[in-house]
PDB file of all heavy atoms in Angstrom:
ATOM      1  N   VAL A 370       8.037  14.843   8.745  1.00 97.00           N
ATOM      2  CA  VAL A 370       7.150  15.548   7.892  1.00 97.00           C
ATOM      3  C   VAL A 370       7.430  17.007   7.785  1.00 97.00           C
ATOM      4  O   VAL A 370       7.479  17.627   6.723  1.00 97.00           O
ATOM      5  CB  VAL A 370       5.682  15.391   8.402  1.00 97.00           C
ATOM      6  CG1 VAL A 370       4.660  16.130   7.556  1.00 97.00           C
ATOM      7  CG2 VAL A 370       5.301  13.837   8.359  1.00 97.00           C
ATOM      8  N   ARG A 371       7.744  17.670   8.918  1.00 97.00           N
ATOM      9  CA  ARG A 371       8.002  19.090   8.970  1.00 97.00           C
ATOM     10  C   ARG A 371       9.284  19.429   8.162  1.00 97.00           C
ATOM     11  O   ARG A 371       9.329  20.531   7.547  1.00 97.00           O
ATOM     12  CB  ARG A 371       8.113  19.632  10.413  1.00 97.00           C
ATOM     13  CG  ARG A 371       6.734  19.728  11.062  1.00 97.00           C
ATOM     14  CD  ARG A 371       6.886  20.507  12.355  1.00 97.00           C
ATOM     15  NE  ARG A 371       7.638  19.712  13.370  1.00 97.00           N
ATOM     16  CZ  ARG A 371       6.980  18.972  14.263  1.00 97.00           C
ATOM     17  NH1 ARG A 371       5.715  18.847  14.290  1.00 97.00           N
ATOM     18  NH2 ARG A 371       7.730  18.278  15.167  1.00 97.00           N
ATOM     19  N   ASP A 372      10.340  18.582   8.225  1.00 97.00           N
ATOM     20  CA  ASP A 372      11.572  18.979   7.540  1.00 97.00           C
ATOM     21  C   ASP A 372      11.643  18.600   6.097  1.00 97.00           C
ATOM     22  O   ASP A 372      12.619  18.866   5.437  1.00 97.00           O
ATOM     23  CB  ASP A 372      12.751  18.289   8.307  1.00 97.00           C
ATOM     24  CG  ASP A 372      13.084  19.042   9.539  1.00 97.00           C
ATOM     25  OD1 ASP A 372      12.486  20.145   9.786  1.00 97.00           O
ATOM     26  OD2 ASP A 372      13.918  18.545  10.371  1.00 97.00           O
ATOM     27  N   ALA A 373      10.549  18.009   5.580  1.00 97.00           N
ATOM     28  CA  ALA A 373      10.508  17.663   4.100  1.00 97.00           C
ATOM     29  C   ALA A 373      10.292  18.895   3.302  1.00 97.00           C
ATOM     30  O   ALA A 373       9.551  19.814   3.679  1.00 97.00           O
ATOM     31  CB  ALA A 373       9.369  16.693   3.880  1.00 97.00           C
ATOM     32  N   GLY A 374      10.856  18.944   2.106  1.00 95.00           N
ATOM     33  CA  GLY A 374      10.599  19.981   1.185  1.00 95.00           C
ATOM     34  C   GLY A 374       9.270  19.871   0.515  1.00 95.00           C
ATOM     35  O   GLY A 374       8.462  20.767   0.401  1.00 95.00           O
ATOM     36  N   ARG A 375       9.001  18.627   0.059  1.00 96.00           N
ATOM     37  CA  ARG A 375       7.614  18.230  -0.423  1.00 96.00           C
ATOM     38  C   ARG A 375       7.237  16.925   0.097  1.00 96.00           C
ATOM     39  O   ARG A 375       8.095  15.954   0.365  1.00 96.00           O
ATOM     40  CB  ARG A 375       7.628  18.190  -2.002  1.00 96.00           C
ATOM     41  CG  ARG A 375       7.788  19.524  -2.631  1.00 96.00           C
ATOM     42  CD  ARG A 375       6.663  20.500  -2.390  1.00 96.00           C
ATOM     43  NE  ARG A 375       5.410  20.012  -2.999  1.00 96.00           N
ATOM     44  CZ  ARG A 375       4.934  20.225  -4.250  1.00 96.00           C
ATOM     45  NH1 ARG A 375       5.795  20.960  -5.024  1.00 96.00           N
ATOM     46  NH2 ARG A 375       3.828  19.845  -4.700  1.00 96.00           N
ATOM     47  N   ILE A 376       5.911  16.740   0.323  1.00 97.00           N
ATOM     48  CA  ILE A 376       5.396  15.498   0.907  1.00 97.00           C
ATOM     49  C   ILE A 376       4.459  14.847  -0.064  1.00 97.00           C
ATOM     50  O   ILE A 376       3.439  15.466  -0.439  1.00 97.00           O
ATOM     51  CB  ILE A 376       4.693  15.832   2.284  1.00 97.00           C
ATOM     52  CG1 ILE A 376       5.597  16.632   3.188  1.00 97.00           C
ATOM     53  CG2 ILE A 376       4.207  14.561   2.928  1.00 97.00           C
ATOM     54  CD1 ILE A 376       4.912  17.542   4.129  1.00 97.00           C
ATOM     55  N   VAL A 377       4.705  13.671  -0.436  1.00 98.00           N
ATOM     56  CA  VAL A 377       3.854  12.865  -1.308  1.00 98.00           C
ATOM     57  C   VAL A 377       2.999  11.999  -0.499  1.00 98.00           C
ATOM     58  O   VAL A 377       3.591  11.226   0.333  1.00 98.00           O
ATOM     59  CB  VAL A 377       4.698  12.076  -2.349  1.00 98.00           C
ATOM     60  CG1 VAL A 377       3.788  11.184  -3.238  1.00 98.00           C
ATOM     61  CG2 VAL A 377       5.528  12.962  -3.228  1.00 98.00           C
ATOM     62  N   THR A 378       1.707  11.955  -0.626  1.00 97.00           N
ATOM     63  CA  THR A 378       0.870  11.019   0.125  1.00 97.00           C
ATOM     64  C   THR A 378       0.050  10.213  -0.888  1.00 97.00           C
ATOM     65  O   THR A 378      -0.141  10.574  -2.084  1.00 97.00           O
ATOM     66  CB  THR A 378      -0.201  11.797   0.998  1.00 97.00           C
ATOM     67  OG1 THR A 378      -1.022  12.637   0.227  1.00 97.00           O
ATOM     68  CG2 THR A 378       0.606  12.659   1.999  1.00 97.00           C
ATOM     69  N   VAL A 379      -0.555   9.057  -0.368  1.00 97.00           N
ATOM     70  CA  VAL A 379      -1.276   8.172  -1.227  1.00 97.00           C
ATOM     71  C   VAL A 379      -2.726   8.603  -1.463  1.00 97.00           C
ATOM     72  O   VAL A 379      -3.397   7.982  -2.304  1.00 97.00           O
ATOM     73  CB  VAL A 379      -1.202   6.714  -0.721  1.00 97.00           C
ATOM     74  CG1 VAL A 379       0.251   6.218  -0.616  1.00 97.00           C
ATOM     75  CG2 VAL A 379      -1.886   6.649   0.700  1.00 97.00           C
ATOM     76  N   SER A 380      -3.197   9.567  -0.697  1.00 96.00           N
ATOM     77  CA  SER A 380      -4.572  10.014  -0.908  1.00 96.00           C
ATOM     78  C   SER A 380      -4.698  11.444  -0.380  1.00 96.00           C
ATOM     79  O   SER A 380      -3.877  11.910   0.373  1.00 96.00           O
ATOM     80  CB  SER A 380      -5.539   9.060  -0.114  1.00 96.00           C
ATOM     81  OG  SER A 380      -5.427   9.267   1.266  1.00 96.00           O
ATOM     82  N   SER A 381      -5.756  12.113  -0.779  1.00 96.00           N
ATOM     83  CA  SER A 381      -6.010  13.422  -0.317  1.00 96.00           C
ATOM     84  C   SER A 381      -6.460  13.446   1.109  1.00 96.00           C
ATOM     85  O   SER A 381      -6.093  14.394   1.934  1.00 96.00           O
ATOM     86  CB  SER A 381      -7.150  14.080  -1.152  1.00 96.00           C
ATOM     87  OG  SER A 381      -8.360  13.320  -1.041  1.00 96.00           O
ATOM     88  N   GLN A 382      -7.068  12.390   1.580  1.00 95.00           N
ATOM     89  CA  GLN A 382      -7.422  12.265   2.992  1.00 95.00           C
ATOM     90  C   GLN A 382      -6.169  12.065   3.865  1.00 95.00           C
ATOM     91  O   GLN A 382      -6.115  12.592   5.013  1.00 95.00           O
ATOM     92  CB  GLN A 382      -8.429  11.085   3.253  1.00 95.00           C
ATOM     93  CG  GLN A 382      -9.743  11.304   2.585  1.00 95.00           C
ATOM     94  CD  GLN A 382     -10.731  10.304   2.976  1.00 95.00           C
ATOM     95  OE1 GLN A 382     -11.233  10.213   4.099  1.00 95.00           O
ATOM     96  NE2 GLN A 382     -11.054   9.388   2.074  1.00 95.00           N
ATOM     97  N   MET A 383      -5.137  11.406   3.340  1.00 96.00           N
ATOM     98  CA  MET A 383      -3.883  11.239   4.080  1.00 96.00           C
ATOM     99  C   MET A 383      -3.203  12.623   4.188  1.00 96.00           C
ATOM    100  O   MET A 383      -2.658  12.906   5.229  1.00 96.00           O
ATOM    101  CB  MET A 383      -2.940  10.264   3.376  1.00 96.00           C
ATOM    102  CG  MET A 383      -1.605  10.088   4.003  1.00 96.00           C
ATOM    103  SD  MET A 383      -1.740   9.272   5.630  1.00 96.00           S
ATOM    104  CE  MET A 383      -2.228   7.609   5.148  1.00 96.00           C
ATOM    105  N   ALA A 384      -3.199  13.371   3.116  1.00 96.00           N
ATOM    106  CA  ALA A 384      -2.619  14.741   3.122  1.00 96.00           C
ATOM    107  C   ALA A 384      -3.336  15.617   4.184  1.00 96.00           C
ATOM    108  O   ALA A 384      -2.683  16.346   4.958  1.00 96.00           O
ATOM    109  CB  ALA A 384      -2.732  15.316   1.764  1.00 96.00           C
ATOM    110  N   THR A 385      -4.641  15.551   4.235  1.00 96.00           N
ATOM    111  CA  THR A 385      -5.390  16.344   5.231  1.00 96.00           C
ATOM    112  C   THR A 385      -5.064  15.940   6.637  1.00 96.00           C
ATOM    113  O   THR A 385      -4.886  16.750   7.554  1.00 96.00           O
ATOM    114  CB  THR A 385      -6.925  16.106   4.919  1.00 96.00           C
ATOM    115  OG1 THR A 385      -7.156  16.685   3.663  1.00 96.00           O
ATOM    116  CG2 THR A 385      -7.691  16.992   5.953  1.00 96.00           C
ATOM    117  N   LEU A 386      -5.022  14.558   6.868  1.00 94.00           N
ATOM    118  CA  LEU A 386      -4.630  14.105   8.218  1.00 94.00           C
ATOM    119  C   LEU A 386      -3.260  14.629   8.669  1.00 94.00           C
ATOM    120  O   LEU A 386      -3.147  15.102   9.758  1.00 94.00           O
ATOM    121  CB  LEU A 386      -4.588  12.550   8.233  1.00 94.00           C
ATOM    122  CG  LEU A 386      -5.901  11.839   8.455  1.00 94.00           C
ATOM    123  CD1 LEU A 386      -5.704  10.262   8.442  1.00 94.00           C
ATOM    124  CD2 LEU A 386      -6.536  12.144   9.774  1.00 94.00           C
ATOM    125  N   ALA A 387      -2.275  14.501   7.827  1.00 96.00           N
ATOM    126  CA  ALA A 387      -0.920  14.927   8.186  1.00 96.00           C
ATOM    127  C   ALA A 387      -0.880  16.501   8.355  1.00 96.00           C
ATOM    128  O   ALA A 387      -0.168  16.886   9.252  1.00 96.00           O
ATOM    129  CB  ALA A 387       0.046  14.477   7.119  1.00 96.00           C
ATOM    130  N   SER A 388      -1.548  17.142   7.500  1.00 96.00           N
ATOM    131  CA  SER A 388      -1.570  18.621   7.599  1.00 96.00           C
ATOM    132  C   SER A 388      -2.216  19.088   8.906  1.00 96.00           C
ATOM    133  O   SER A 388      -1.601  19.954   9.529  1.00 96.00           O
ATOM    134  CB  SER A 388      -2.410  19.234   6.369  1.00 96.00           C
ATOM    135  OG  SER A 388      -2.552  20.593   6.543  1.00 96.00           O
ATOM    136  N   GLU A 389      -3.309  18.490   9.306  1.00 95.00           N
ATOM    137  CA  GLU A 389      -3.972  18.841  10.530  1.00 95.00           C
ATOM    138  C   GLU A 389      -3.181  18.392  11.764  1.00 95.00           C
ATOM    139  O   GLU A 389      -3.123  19.021  12.794  1.00 95.00           O
ATOM    140  CB  GLU A 389      -5.350  18.271  10.584  1.00 95.00           C
ATOM    141  CG  GLU A 389      -6.307  18.877   9.554  1.00 95.00           C
ATOM    142  CD  GLU A 389      -7.674  18.215   9.526  1.00 95.00           C
ATOM    143  OE1 GLU A 389      -7.762  17.141  10.151  1.00 95.00           O
ATOM    144  OE2 GLU A 389      -8.578  18.747   8.826  1.00 95.00           O
ATOM    145  N   GLU A 390      -2.527  17.220  11.676  1.00 95.00           N
ATOM    146  CA  GLU A 390      -1.809  16.670  12.839  1.00 95.00           C
ATOM    147  C   GLU A 390      -0.636  17.491  13.211  1.00 95.00           C
ATOM    148  O   GLU A 390      -0.317  17.705  14.394  1.00 95.00           O
ATOM    149  CB  GLU A 390      -1.344  15.206  12.466  1.00 95.00           C
ATOM    150  CG  GLU A 390      -0.703  14.460  13.623  1.00 95.00           C
ATOM    151  CD  GLU A 390      -1.652  14.127  14.723  1.00 95.00           C
ATOM    152  OE1 GLU A 390      -2.800  13.747  14.425  1.00 95.00           O
ATOM    153  OE2 GLU A 390      -1.233  14.255  15.918  1.00 95.00           O
ATOM    154  N   TRP A 391       0.104  18.028  12.151  1.00 95.00           N
ATOM    155  CA  TRP A 391       1.331  18.811  12.512  1.00 95.00           C
ATOM    156  C   TRP A 391       1.284  20.218  12.028  1.00 95.00           C
ATOM    157  O   TRP A 391       2.354  20.857  12.011  1.00 95.00           O
ATOM    158  CB  TRP A 391       2.503  18.023  11.901  1.00 95.00           C
ATOM    159  CG  TRP A 391       2.838  16.714  12.613  1.00 95.00           C
ATOM    160  CD1 TRP A 391       3.330  16.582  13.796  1.00 95.00           C
ATOM    161  CD2 TRP A 391       2.562  15.385  12.099  1.00 95.00           C
ATOM    162  NE1 TRP A 391       3.417  15.267  14.128  1.00 95.00           N
ATOM    163  CE2 TRP A 391       2.950  14.463  13.107  1.00 95.00           C
ATOM    164  CE3 TRP A 391       2.104  14.904  10.904  1.00 95.00           C
ATOM    165  CZ2 TRP A 391       2.869  13.109  12.954  1.00 95.00           C
ATOM    166  CZ3 TRP A 391       2.004  13.507  10.736  1.00 95.00           C
ATOM    167  CH2 TRP A 391       2.394  12.661  11.751  1.00 95.00           C
ATOM    168  N   GLY A 392       0.155  20.757  11.554  1.00 95.00           N
ATOM    169  CA  GLY A 392       0.036  22.074  11.258  1.00 95.00           C
ATOM    170  C   GLY A 392       0.801  22.506  10.016  1.00 95.00           C
ATOM    171  O   GLY A 392       1.449  23.622  10.076  1.00 95.00           O
TER     172      GLY A 392
END
Side-chain angles (χ1 to χ4, degrees):
V370 176
R371 283 190 293 266
D372 283 352
R375 290 297 293 274
I376 306 149
V377 177
T378 64
V379 297
S380 71
S381 60
Q382 294 189 73
M383 179 66 69
T385 299
L386 274 179
S388 174
E389 293 175 350
E390 186 68 39
W391 291 290

